């Protein structure tokens, strides 16, 4: 970092602060912090969802994957369009039609308050650990290396910046700043890819310098890292959970101005996900072509930055990495504040058809609700700092990667509960709660055995010796989800305590399980059809 780099970095923060203050001034006085007055347009939604999904660890890990295996890891970006589309046409109409603030609140309408309470605490713990603590841990390492300050101070700097926008302007400020930050990310990442291609001699030269299978998306089932069948079957479990049921990801859609804007915003997210391969993974492939003898693939991204970018651009890259952190942490803090305030603090009050709080007790004012939301933001930030320092104190264990793997075993219960809750009216509360409690415990136990237990078990049955091996991680996630769905079906069919009649959802038509209205915006249908055609074309071309 030279003087020019520091100047550019400082300019980034000044512009970010100005945009955040401007966005906060656009929020009506005493209006809700949580859903931006349900006023977000398609570009705010698209950039916010994409920005929440992007982090420094993703940039570095994607380049590392490109260096070692080519574009096959792009399945996790390109395959996502199916489940973003499911959010747009299956879940978003029901979420927006029910006028809920949170996804636990939506499940409360479907299964009752017991399920809502379980999901609320489940969501809070997930946000604090996975979205806040682990993101701060990854970002804190970056901040610590540049500024040479302790981990707790690094985490504090990131939280202060993110919490400032969340507390001042709520989701509207987070969404507006995400637009600016993601445009900056696209510019810098595209510049790195273009400069790298120029250095290697163009696309033809790049293709000639890397193995042929670097350009294949579906590899044979004999491939240990990326067999095609586990990806095809297992990723949907993760995809439904991440893109359709995670509060941090879905909250921008809940704040959409209307269903049309929500569906256009998710469509925009799908187009942005196409950029993941050329902007994040391709630099790693280029790095392999330029530096094939490099021993540590995790250094691919920073090696490209250090060797290809002049003074000034390095500061811009660091600004982009910081932007990714601020975007993810800001969205997570707002989601945390929303879930606690609406699903736990205000659960004592009944809600009317239009979402207003009412009941025997005098309902709190919007000012008081915002105060509680800000207080929760501060408390959540403090807990996240403690957890970040605790993670950093563990030596000799790559806890970040381990825990990210464990998160994959959390997906099956959430996916099973939401899918059956929407598509099968017969599903009962008892079945849902059993999947969320005992099912989650079972999945996490399997995850611990998978990560830390023996990979091969030798056994003898009827004088026949055999060896049992764990299936691929993604296939295991699929099998767990199928087992939970079967369990929920059996419990529901034998449960005498049927779920009560479901509430109707005005403005959508029908109840939570009803087919969606046939009339959609022609622009929405056209753009989603175009995205599907492009994605199918990409998969055909790269196989």
């Amino acid at each position: 970092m030279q003087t020019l780099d520091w100047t550019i970095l400082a300019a980034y923060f000044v512009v970010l602060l100005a945009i955040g203050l401007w966005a906060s001034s656009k929020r009506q006085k005493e209006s809700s912090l949580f859903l931006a007055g349900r006023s977000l347009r398609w570009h705010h939604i698209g950039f916010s969802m994409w920005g929440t999904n992007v982090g420094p660890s993703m940039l570095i890990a994607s380049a590392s994957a490109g260096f070692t295996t080519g574009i096959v890891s792009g399945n996790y970006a390109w395959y996502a369009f199916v489940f973003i589309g499911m959010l747009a046409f299956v879940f978003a109409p029901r979420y927006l039609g029910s006028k809920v603030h949170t996804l636990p609140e939506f499940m409360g309408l479907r299964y009752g308050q017991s399920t809502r309470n379980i999901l609320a605490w489940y969501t809070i713990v997930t946000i604090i650990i996975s979205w806040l603590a682990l993101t701060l841990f990854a970002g804190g390492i970056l901040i610590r290396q540049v500024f040479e300050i302790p981990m707790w101070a690094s985490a504090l700097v990131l939280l202060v910046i993110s919490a400032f926008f969340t507390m001042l302007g709520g989701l509207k400020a987070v969404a507006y700043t995400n637009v600016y930050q993601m445009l900056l990310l696209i510019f810098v990442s595209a510049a790195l890819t273009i400069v790298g291609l120029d250095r290697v001699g163009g696309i033809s030269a790049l293709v000639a310098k890397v193995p042929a299978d670097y350009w294949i998306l579906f590899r044979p089932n004999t491939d240990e890292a990326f067999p095609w069948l586990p990806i095809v079957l297992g990723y949907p479990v993760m995809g439904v959970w991440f893109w359709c049921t995670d509060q941090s990801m879905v909250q921008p859609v809940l704040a959409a101005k209307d269903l049309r804007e929500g569906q256009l915003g998710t469509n925009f997210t799908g187009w942005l996900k196409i950029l993941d391969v050329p902007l994040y993974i391709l630099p790693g492939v280029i790095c392999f072509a330029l530096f094939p003898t490099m021993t540590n693939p995790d250094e691919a991204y920073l090696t490209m930055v250090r060797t290809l970018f002049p003074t000034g651009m390095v500061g811009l890259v660091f600004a982009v990495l910081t932007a990714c952190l601020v975007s993810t942490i800001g969205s997570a803090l707002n989601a945390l504040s929303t879930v606690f305030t609406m699903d736990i603090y205000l659960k004592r009050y009944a809600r009317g058809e239009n979402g207003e709080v009412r009941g025997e007790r005098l309902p709190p004012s919007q000012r008081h609700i915002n105060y509680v939301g800000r207080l929760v933001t501060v408390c959540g930030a403090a807990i996240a700092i403690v957890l970040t320092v605790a993670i950093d104190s563990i030596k000799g264990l790559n806890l970040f990667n381990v825990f990210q793997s464990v998160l994959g075993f959390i997906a099956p219960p959430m996916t099973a509960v939401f899918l059956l809750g929407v598509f099968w009216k017969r599903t009962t509360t008892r079945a849902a709660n059993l999947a969320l409690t005992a099912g989650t415990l079972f999945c996490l136990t399997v995850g611990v055995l998978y990560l830390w237990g023996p990979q091969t078990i030798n056994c003898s049955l009827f004088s026949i010796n055999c060896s049992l091996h764990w299936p691929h991680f993604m296939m295991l996630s699929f099998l767990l989800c199928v087992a939970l769905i079967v369990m929920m079906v059996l419990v529901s069919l034998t449960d005498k305590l049927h779920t009560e009649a479901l509430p109707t959802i005005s403005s959508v038509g029908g109840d939570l399980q009803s087919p969606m209205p046939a009339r959609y915006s022609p622009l929405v249908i056209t753009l989603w059809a175009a995205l599907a055609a492009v994605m199918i074309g990409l998969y055909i071309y790269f196989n």
Side-chain angles (χ1 to χ4, degrees):
M1 295 281 286
Q2 305 299 320
T3 302
L4 181 59
D5 297 311
W6 289 109
T7 302
I8 291 176
L9 182 60
Y12 156 76
F13 282 112
V14 170
V15 175
L16 181 66
L17 179 63
I19 294 177
L21 291 173
W22 174 78
S24 301
S25 68
K26 302 285 287 185
R27 184 178 68 88
Q28 295 181 359
K29 187 177 182 181
E30 303 305 335
S31 63
S32 174
L33 292 172
F34 306 125
L35 294 184
R38 300 189 190 274
S39 63
L40 295 189
R41 302 295 302 274
W42 62 270
H43 51 286
H44 301 132
I45 296 169
F47 278 125
S48 290
M49 292 185 67
W50 193 51
T52 303
N53 182 221
V54 176
S57 57
M58 177 180 174
L59 295 179
I60 296 173
S62 296
S64 175
F67 184 92
T68 56
T69 59
I71 68 167
V72 64
S73 60
N75 280 295
Y76 297 101
W78 286 359
Y79 196 5
F81 90 95
V82 176
F83 310 101
I84 301 174
M86 184 179 290
L87 171 62
F89 292 102
V90 176
F91 290 96
R94 292 166 170 85
Y95 292 159
L96 294 176
S98 61
K99 296 182 172 63
V100 295
H101 290 76
T102 69
L103 302 188
E105 182 182 0
F106 177 80
M107 283 290 102
L109 294 177
R110 172 60 177 89
Y111 293 116
Q113 285 299 314
S114 59
T115 304
R116 179 180 181 180
N117 293 338
I118 294 172
L119 272 178
W121 287 109
Y122 181 99
T123 302
I124 287 172
V125 171
T126 301
I127 291 174
I128 291 177
I129 295 178
S130 62
W131 285 105
L132 290 177
L134 291 175
T135 301
L136 286 170
F137 175 61
I141 294 176
L142 182 68
I143 301 292
R144 182 171 58 184
Q145 290 176 346
V146 175
F147 293 97
E148 297 182 352
I149 58 178
M151 174 61 74
W152 69 266
S154 303
L156 182 61
V157 168
L158 293 171
L159 278 172
V160 166
I161 298 172
S162 303
F164 173 78
F165 300 117
T166 305
M167 295 172 64
L168 184 64
L171 183 61
K172 176 166 284 191
V174 173
Y176 277 59
T177 53
N178 276 348
V179 173
Y180 157 67
Q181 295 182 122
M182 292 306 101
L183 288 174
L184 182 63
L185 171 65
I186 292 174
F187 169 74
V188 172
S189 300
L192 183 63
T193 300
I194 293 172
V195 173
L197 282 174
D198 180 70
R199 179 69 62 88
V200 82
I203 296 178
S204 299
L206 176 63
V207 171
K209 292 182 179 180
V210 301
D213 63 356
Y214 267 42
W215 309 108
I216 301 298
L217 282 170
F218 281 158
R219 295 191 172 188
N221 275 328
T222 54
D223 188 276
E224 294 184 2
F226 297 98
W228 72 269
L229 186 60
I231 291 178
V232 170
L233 295 180
Y235 183 80
V237 179
M238 298 287 293
V240 172
W241 168 61
F242 187 79
W243 292 105
C244 302
T245 73
D246 185 272
Q247 180 72 27
S248 298
M249 289 302 304
V250 177
Q251 185 145 327
V253 177
L254 300 180
K257 183 178 179 180
D258 51 41
L259 178 59
R260 180 178 181 272
E261 292 294 332
Q263 291 175 328
L264 289 175
T266 52
N267 178 263
F268 186 40
T269 304
W271 289 105
L272 289 173
K273 289 297 293 179
I274 296 178
L275 298 179
D276 285 12
V277 172
L279 296 186
Y280 307 151
I281 297 176
L282 190 57
V285 179
I286 296 172
C287 185
F288 179 84
L290 294 175
F291 311 102
T293 59
M294 191 175 69
T295 57
N296 186 1
D298 291 339
E299 296 179 355
Y301 184 83
L302 294 180
T303 298
M304 291 283 287
V305 170
R306 184 173 59 250
T307 56
L308 300 182
F309 275 170
T311 301
M313 285 297 290
V314 176
L316 199 57
V317 168
F318 185 72
V320 164
L321 296 177
T322 307
C324 296
L325 287 164
V326 172
S327 176
T328 301
I329 296 170
S331 299
L333 285 174
N334 188 262
L336 172 69
S337 175
T338 304
V339 170
F340 184 90
T341 304
M342 306 308 297
D343 290 313
I344 296 177
Y345 181 75
L346 293 179
K347 70 179 181 181
R348 72 194 78 176
Y349 303 104
R351 288 192 172 276
E353 293 181 357
N354 296 323
E356 74 276 8
V357 179
R358 66 185 185 183
E360 296 180 359
R361 303 182 61 177
L362 184 65
S365 65
Q366 187 60 57
R367 181 177 183 180
H368 178 76
I369 294 174
N370 289 345
Y371 169 78
V372 173
R374 292 186 175 104
L375 183 62
V376 172
T377 299
V378 173
C379 293
I383 295 173
I385 289 179
V386 173
L387 290 176
T388 303
V389 174
I391 293 172
D392 186 55
S393 66
I394 299 177
K395 307 298 181 183
L397 179 65
N398 192 342
L399 188 61
F400 182 79
N401 289 336
V402 170
F403 195 86
Q404 286 295 87
S405 299
V406 171
L407 287 180
F409 293 94
I410 295 178
M414 291 285 285
T415 298
V417 168
F418 272 79
L419 286 180
L420 286 184
V422 167
F423 289 109
W424 193 39
K425 186 179 294 188
R426 184 64 175 78
T427 311
T428 63
T429 300
R430 181 176 295 172
N433 291 350
L434 188 62
L436 290 173
T437 53
T440 298
L441 180 62
F442 173 71
C443 290
L444 290 179
T445 301
V446 173
V448 170
L449 294 175
Y450 178 86
L451 291 169
W452 287 287
Q455 296 300 304
T456 303
I457 299 177
N458 297 317
C459 59
S460 178
L461 184 64
F462 300 114
S463 301
I464 299 176
N465 296 324
C466 60
S467 296
L468 301 178
H469 304 275
W470 284 104
H472 188 273
F473 166 77
M474 301 297 288
M475 180 62 74
L476 187 57
S477 182
F478 168 75
L479 295 175
L480 288 172
C481 186
V482 171
L484 288 178
I485 290 176
V486 171
M487 181 274 294
M488 290 182 65
V489 170
L490 294 177
V491 171
S492 297
L493 291 176
T494 58
D495 192 356
K496 296 181 180 180
L497 299 176
H498 301 325
T499 303
E500 296 181 358
L502 299 168
T504 59
I505 297 181
S506 59
S507 80
V508 174
D511 59 35
L512 295 176
Q513 284 76 31
S514 288
M516 289 168 291
R519 296 181 60 185
Y520 284 115
S521 164
L523 180 61
V524 169
I525 298 298
T526 300
L527 289 176
W528 270 105
L531 176 61
V534 169
M535 295 309 305
I536 293 173
L538 288 173
Y539 266 92
I540 293 174
Y541 182 80
F542 286 104
N543 279 290

